[in-house]
C-alpha cells in the first residue's frame, strides 16, 4: 500500500483545493503530493515543469519549509466531462489565475493530472501603438 493511500480522498473535484490548503498549512508535503496522480505534471516553479508525484512531493517539501500560509480562494465554476474536470480559482493576491485538470479515479475519488498554479497576468497590447 502506498504511503499516499492513507490520506483523505477528494470525492469531488472542488475538494482538492480545500485539502491542498489544509495540508500545505500543516506543512505536509506528502499530503499535498497525495492529491496528484503518479505521473502528474505541475507548471511550477515559474517557467519549469515538475513531473511525477514524487518530484511534486520534493518540490513541496522545499516550498513548505518556508512556512507559507495559504488561504482558501473562491472557486470558479468547475467544467466537467466524462471523468475529467477543469477547476480554477482567481487568486486572492491578484496573480492572474490558477487552473487544474483533475481526473476521476477508479474508486470515484479525484486527483490532479495537470496543475498550473500561476498564470502571469499579461498586459493587453496597446491598440494605439
Amino acid at each position: 500500500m502506498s504511503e499516499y493511500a492513507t490520506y483523505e480522498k477528494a470525492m469531488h473535484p472542488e475538494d482538492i483545493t480545500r485539502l491542498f490548503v489544509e495540508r500545505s498549512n500543516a506543512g505536509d508535503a506528502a499530503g499535498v503530493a497525495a492529491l496528484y496522480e503518479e505521473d502528474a505534471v505541475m507548471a511550477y516553479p515559474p517557467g519549469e515543469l515538475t513531473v511525477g508525484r514524487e518530484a511534486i512531493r520534493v518540490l513541496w517539501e522545499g516550498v513548505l519549509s518556508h512556512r507559507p500560509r495559504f488561504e482558501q480562494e473562491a472557486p470558479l465554476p468547475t467544467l466537467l466531462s466524462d471523468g475529467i474536470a477543469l477547476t480554477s480559482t482567481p487568486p486572492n493576491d491578484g496573480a492572474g489565475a490558477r487552473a487544474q485538470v483533475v481526473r476521476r479515479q477508479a474508486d470515484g475519488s479525484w486527483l490532479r493530472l495537470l496543475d498550473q498554479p500561476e498564470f502571469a497576468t499579461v498586459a493587453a497590447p496597446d491598440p494605439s501603438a
Side-chain angles (χ1 to χ4, degrees):
M1 175 185 276
S2 163
E3 70 176 287
Y4 301 113
T6 62
Y7 286 95
E8 176 187 350
K9 295 182 178 188
M11 297 312 293
H12 303 279
E14 301 81 7
D15 291 342
I16 295 177
T17 299
R18 173 186 55 83
L19 293 168
F20 169 84
V21 170
E22 290 172 4
R23 294 172 188 181
S24 294
N25 288 341
D28 185 358
V32 171
L35 299 170
Y36 291 84
E37 287 193 359
E38 187 66 36
D39 296 320
V41 177
M42 181 178 188
Y44 193 85
E48 297 180 37
L49 296 178
T50 301
V51 180
R53 182 186 285 151
E54 284 306 306
I56 290 168
R57 180 189 56 78
V58 170
L59 171 82
W60 281 104
E61 283 176 351
V63 171
L64 297 178
S65 71
H66 301 286
R67 299 280 185 221
R69 186 87 185 135
F70 294 89
E71 299 294 329
Q72 287 290 344
E73 297 169 337
L76 296 171
T78 298
L79 299 176
L80 182 62
S81 177
D82 196 28
I84 302 288
L86 174 66
T87 62
S88 58
T89 57
N92 293 334
D93 63 10
R98 305 183 204 292
Q100 303 81 33
V101 174
V102 300
R103 181 166 34 199
R104 185 180 301 121
Q105 306 299 297
D107 65 359
S109 67
W110 293 81
L111 292 174
R112 284 181 175 168
L113 174 63
L114 303 171
D115 186 4
Q116 178 79 49
E118 295 181 357
F119 283 93
T121 303
V122 178
D126 182 354
S128 64

